[in-house]
Amino acid sequence: MRRSLKLVVLAAAATLPAACAPNPIIARDPVPAPSPDVAYRCSSTPALLNGYWADCERVRRETEVVVRTKG
């Protein structure tokens, strides 16, 4: 019994390093980033158990206005 348990532990210890990948897996988003002209307007409402429902809508970003004065 004790010897078989030792073999099981040794087999599990041998397979543990094999489960780790040599290079980390990097997740890439298939959707490209939005352009600078696009913005999101979000609102959230409380839900049960300290959760929130978020609702975001896509809107065009307002153009920036620069006012220059002399003086």
Side-chain angles (χ1 to χ4, degrees):
M1 171 82 179
R2 186 174 178 170
R3 186 172 184 171
S4 64
L5 181 61
K6 190 182 258 187
L7 288 174
V8 170
V9 170
L10 285 175
T15 59
L16 186 62
C20 298
N23 296 325
I25 298 170
I26 300 171
R28 302 205 192 289
D29 193 2
V31 179
S35 70
D37 295 336
V38 177
Y40 290 94
R41 184 171 295 136
C42 298
S43 64
S44 59
T45 55
L48 295 175
L49 299 175
N50 290 335
Y52 284 90
W53 290 102
D55 182 35
C56 295
E57 64 182 51
R58 200 172 176 168
V59 295
R60 287 200 58 84
R61 196 177 295 252
E62 297 176 7
T63 58
E64 294 181 15
V65 178
V66 178
V67 179
R68 296 184 181 163
T69 60
K70 283 187 169 181

